[in-house]
Amino acid sequence: MKKALITWVTWQDWSYLAELLLEKWYEVHWLKRRVSIFNTDRIDHLLQDRHEKDRKFILHYGDMTDSLNITTLINDIKPDEIYNLAAQSHVHISFLMPEYTWNNDWLWTLRILEWVRNAWLEKTCKFYQASTSELFGWMDYNRPEAWYNENSPMHPRSPYGCAKIYAMWIARNYKESYWMFCSNWILFNHESPRRWENFVTRKITMAVARIKLWLQEKLYLWNLDAKRDWWHAKDYVEAMWLMLQQDKPDDFVIATWVSNTVRDFVNRSFEEAWIKLERKWTGIDEKWYDIETWKCLVEVDPQYFRPAEVNYLLWDATKAKTVLWWQPKYTVRELCKEMVKSDLENFKKDEILKQHWYEILTQYED
Ligand code: NAP
Ligand code: G4F
């Protein structure tokens, strides 16, 4: 049985990757930092049946800034594969917390590579580094429709992008210097119903569900013109695993060849909830109205402005397709539909529960 170590599974990618590795009969070790509430909603289903059919899903406490505890863990676990997914991954927040982002996203990667070497695992343990399209960042205005691939010039536009570029290069450096199996995965925005609400897609789908159920009045956004290649996180974790099953380490762009604006995603999400919108005004005055009630449902709020923005990127994932035989299964439309449906169901459930408790409590009042 292979042993995999996933650095933090409480969020989106980890949870899908853990599911995939358990299906493939790995012994999955996962790390969780201590927080004041138990934030395991995304993996609760795995915790419930962790002993089922001898599947091994083992929790360890750890923090990316605590060297001692991770050194001990790597020595004890002796993993065959490490999936380094942990990060302060929010671009806007990286401008507000640049030092923390640097410590988390770059220093942590260096530390973990050193720990692998110190445990004498450099020839047996495969290392996967979650890199990002934010490394390329700057749009080439002379070639607005240019496709980016593994060899395109890099120009990060945020402290997050800068920390991640170092992390990618240190992984490349350890591959060249110590012959370690280090692969970088340069990926675009991947989303799901398990995405955190302060990323734009989930913020939109949760707002749409709340608006539909009369729990929210309006959705405030910033750059509606930004274009992203959004895809389902489930498709991406399959590619992560494939990368570590290769004979040689390599870097891959993982993307879907399709780009949509934030505005497209807004419209599509409202359509999934049977609300039709019409646009009035442009720029920071842009507003979208419900064509039945003429209530304004979407507005621009400049508070989300980023000091520097990545407006547009378009990717060519031919290498992943030909070497890994990787192909995404979901379309952006299917992704959007799944997210809106899931948020509608969650809020309906909450409302039913609230109603249930209200009925119980009022009985006591009588
Ligand atoms: P995410 O939802 O932001 O998850 C962040 C995770 O890291 C959480 O589990 C968090 O733990 C943990 N973490 C952060 N700081 C920590 C610390 N000091 N100690 C312990 N745990 C810490 O990320 P994601 O969207 O799943 O992305 C996975 C990886 O892919 C990241 O490296 C990201 O940079 C990269 N990436 C993501 C995308 C994307 O579109 N999703 C695209 C390109 C690259 P808590 O739960 O305790 O906060
Ligand atoms: O959802 P976002 O915050 O994702 P962003 O900045 O593209 O970063 C995500 O993808 C990267 C891969 O390319 C990852 F490396 C990174 O870890 C993260 O997962 O914003 C998407 C776009 C941006 O242009 C942003 O300015 O949407 C625009 N936007 C417009 N209104 C908004 C909002 N973004 C957020 N978060 N909230 C808004 O209200």
Side-chain angles (χ1 to χ4, degrees):
M1 188 184 257
K2 272 194 193 170
K3 286 186 198 170
L5 172 63
I6 311 178
T7 62
W8 289 282
V9 293
T10 41
W11 281 100
Q12 175 181 263
D13 291 4
W14 291 251
S15 58
Y16 285 116
L17 180 65
E19 279 168 18
L20 183 94
L21 294 178
L22 286 169
E23 267 169 33
K24 295 188 183 297
W25 296 99
Y26 274 68
E27 181 175 300
V28 179
H29 294 259
W30 58 283
L31 305 183
K32 183 184 153 18
R33 66 173 152 180
R34 195 266 163 189
V35 283
S36 61
I37 47 163
F38 215 72
N39 60 347
T40 55
D41 323 14
R42 291 164 177 81
I43 49 162
D44 277 347
H45 58 295
L46 297 176
L47 291 172
Q48 274 155 18
D49 56 24
R50 72 186 131 177
H51 298 302
E52 194 191 308
K53 299 189 208 119
D54 295 328
R55 281 187 184 167
K56 295 226 168 74
F57 188 54
I58 300 157
L59 159 72
H60 305 274
Y61 274 92
D63 193 291
M64 282 155 77
T65 51
D66 179 351
S67 293
L68 291 176
N69 111 304
I70 310 297
T71 320
T72 315
L73 282 176
I74 292 194
N75 269 308
D76 288 352
I77 300 167
K78 298 204 183 339
D80 300 296
E81 294 172 9
I82 297 180
Y83 294 86
N84 185 30
L85 296 165
Q88 188 305 91
S89 74
H90 200 279
V91 175
H92 192 182
I93 292 173
S94 79
F95 285 101
L96 310 173
M97 302 174 72
E99 188 188 349
Y100 174 80
T101 306
W102 179 255
N103 192 4
N104 254 12
D105 296 11
W106 132 247
L107 262 188
W108 158 256
T109 310
L110 171 69
R111 287 185 196 119
I112 203 163
L113 287 166
E114 269 303 302
W115 296 323
V116 170
R117 264 175 26 87
N118 289 339
W120 303 98
L121 296 174
E122 70 263 43
K123 294 284 174 287
T124 53
C125 178
K126 294 182 171 181
F127 179 80
Y128 162 92
Q129 171 61 18
S131 233
T132 165
S133 49
E134 289 288 316
L135 304 184
F136 297 89
W138 186 257
M139 182 179 123
D140 182 348
Y141 286 99
N142 298 319
R143 299 188 308 143
E145 296 297 320
W147 293 84
Y148 288 76
N149 65 24
E150 293 81 0
N151 304 315
S152 302
M154 296 178 188
H155 187 142
R157 300 264 291 155
S158 62
Y160 167 76
C162 293
K164 281 282 189 180
I165 208 170
Y166 266 88
M168 185 182 81
W169 273 104
I170 201 68
R172 283 180 173 174
N173 184 262
Y174 272 54
K175 176 175 77 175
E176 290 168 9
S177 310
Y178 305 115
W179 301 94
M180 286 172 67
F181 191 111
C182 300
S183 289
N184 280 289
W185 187 57
I186 307 163
L187 48 128
F188 228 103
N189 303 48
H190 46 286
E191 318 292 316
S192 76
R194 297 182 195 170
R195 186 70 145 150
W196 192 22
E197 192 184 350
N198 72 353
F199 293 101
V200 79
T201 55
R202 189 78 199 287
K203 179 173 170 182
I204 295 168
T205 60
M206 284 179 85
V208 167
R210 287 198 197 103
I211 289 171
K212 182 77 183 174
L213 300 170
W214 302 77
L215 301 169
Q216 182 174 331
E217 288 277 317
K218 208 182 272 182
L219 165 65
Y220 292 95
L221 294 166
W222 167 241
N223 185 1
L224 291 160
D225 291 312
K227 279 190 134 184
R228 291 291 184 275
D229 177 349
W230 285 297
W231 223 256
H232 203 302
K234 269 190 198 169
D235 275 333
Y236 280 94
V237 298
E238 178 86 35
M240 283 181 200
W241 177 75
L242 280 171
M243 276 176 58
L244 291 199
Q245 309 318 307
Q246 304 304 302
D247 294 332
K248 283 198 236 138
D250 207 346
D251 299 341
F252 293 91
V253 155
I254 305 291
T256 67
W257 295 270
V258 185
S259 217
N260 286 279
T261 60
V262 172
R263 188 178 293 106
D264 294 335
F265 202 90
V266 170
N267 269 308
R268 202 160 276 166
S269 304
F270 275 100
E271 272 170 27
E272 291 300 339
W274 304 100
I275 299 173
K276 235 174 154 32
L277 299 178
E278 195 175 299
R279 170 182 172 166
K280 297 244 189 261
W281 328 117
T282 52
I284 60 164
D285 296 323
E286 180 168 341
K287 291 187 175 54
W288 288 82
Y289 291 84
D290 179 338
I291 61 162
E292 279 181 14
T293 61
W294 291 106
K295 265 179 75 176
C296 175
L297 298 186
V298 185
E299 212 172 287
V300 170
D301 180 347
Q303 70 159 307
Y304 301 107
F305 167 75
R306 294 174 182 183
E309 172 70 287
V310 173
N311 282 315
Y312 180 69
L313 289 166
L314 196 55
W315 285 88
D316 174 8
T318 305
K319 185 174 168 189
K321 191 176 172 190
T322 46
V323 178
L324 303 177
W325 292 70
W326 176 81
Q327 187 86 318
K329 297 187 189 88
Y330 285 79
T331 62
V332 71
R333 184 171 286 276
E334 285 161 341
L335 166 72
C336 182
K337 190 182 180 130
E338 184 181 327
M339 289 176 74
V340 173
K341 187 166 172 258
S342 156
D343 284 329
L344 276 169
E345 279 164 6
N346 286 341
F347 287 124
K348 271 190 206 144
K349 230 185 284 162
D350 284 354
E351 285 307 294
I352 291 167
L353 277 178
K354 266 192 226 151
Q355 183 61 28
H356 179 66
W357 279 109
Y358 177 75
E359 279 161 16
I360 291 177
L361 291 174
T362 44
Q363 274 172 10
Y364 280 104
E365 276 165 17
D366 290 341

